[in-house]
Amino acid sequence: MNDINYHSESVVFSPPPSTEPTAQQTLHSLYREHHAWLRLWLRKRLPCAESAADLAQDTFVRVLTSRKTQDLREPRAYLSSIARSLMIDGFRRRALENSYLETLALMPEPLEISPETRVLILETLLEIDRMLDNLGARGREIFLLAQLEGLSQVEIGRRLGVSTNTVRKHLVRALTQCLLLIED
């Protein structure tokens, strides 16, 4: 019997070379042909050459991430549209930053309280708290409504359902206690 050995050789078929450029080739061509023009276009609209160069690079990064490089009929219009959008975003961001910095500049400087002053403030607050305890519930409430919420005696009387004279009596007693604390 004849031993027949069949050897199979693997044949690799490669597709015929494509005549259409790849996305990478198209982007490279777009960059090479229009980058200098875009930088000049941006330079006319921005205060410095470095900003124009940065924005041109950002424009091509946006083109790269959008993957819309194939079939561009008007590449300069497309590039200028993206660059204009990025420029507007930059102007808005700077306007927001400037507004924030102006608001910060108008705020008062934070006060640095020494440890000694902090202790004095805490002691005073504790004394006021003890004084408020001595006023009773209604007197404390009237004093706090007047001092913290800024209500008038008439408004406090309406809110609590008491006469204005009662409110005045409690406020006089509370303020007298405060004056005694100040004298000490």
Side-chain angles (χ1 to χ4, degrees):
M1 248 189 165
N2 277 341
D3 282 328
I4 302 175
N5 287 335
Y6 293 98
H7 296 284
S8 65
E9 293 184 26
S10 61
V11 177
V12 176
F13 291 101
S14 58
S18 175
T19 57
E20 290 197 27
T22 65
Q24 182 180 3
Q25 291 169 334
T26 304
L27 181 64
H28 180 70
S29 175
L30 184 69
Y31 186 88
R32 188 181 64 250
E33 293 172 14
H34 301 287
H35 181 260
W37 169 83
L38 184 61
R39 279 183 66 175
L40 182 63
W41 185 86
L42 287 166
R43 181 62 188 108
K44 292 176 183 175
R45 289 159 177 79
L46 294 172
C48 69
E50 291 81 13
S51 296
D54 289 344
L55 198 56
Q57 289 301 95
D58 291 344
T59 301
F60 280 99
V61 168
R62 180 74 58 96
V63 170
L64 177 65
T65 58
S66 73
R67 301 180 189 269
K68 293 182 180 179
T69 57
Q70 304 289 354
D71 302 326
L72 283 179
R73 293 185 187 147
E74 296 291 331
R76 289 187 176 183
Y78 181 65
L79 292 171
S80 63
S81 174
I82 292 172
R84 186 178 297 111
S85 174
L86 291 172
M87 228 180 346
I88 290 169
D89 289 346
F91 291 146
R92 285 183 184 146
R93 186 173 36 256
R94 274 190 291 289
L96 181 63
E97 288 171 2
N98 288 339
S99 176
Y100 176 72
L101 292 174
E102 288 171 8
T103 301
L104 280 179
L106 294 175
M107 294 180 73
E109 291 290 323
L111 297 176
E112 189 66 33
I113 299 175
S114 70
E116 296 83 16
T117 305
R118 187 179 314 249
V119 168
L120 289 173
I121 291 172
L122 288 174
E123 287 175 358
T124 304
L125 287 173
L126 288 172
E127 288 180 33
I128 292 172
D129 186 51
R130 280 191 292 274
M131 183 268 310
L132 289 174
D133 282 342
N134 292 335
L135 293 178
R138 178 161 286 158
R140 180 177 40 252
E141 187 174 12
I142 289 171
F143 179 78
L144 292 174
L145 287 172
Q147 297 301 312
L148 299 180
E149 294 188 27
L151 297 179
S152 69
Q153 292 178 14
V154 173
E155 292 170 326
I156 294 170
R158 281 191 203 134
R159 183 181 280 188
L160 299 179
V162 296
S163 70
T164 305
N165 285 335
T166 303
V167 171
R168 187 174 298 119
K169 180 181 80 170
H170 284 288
L171 278 177
V172 167
R173 186 180 325 148
L175 292 173
T176 303
Q177 292 292 322
C178 286
L179 289 173
L180 291 174
L181 282 176
I182 291 173
E183 287 179 6
D184 289 342

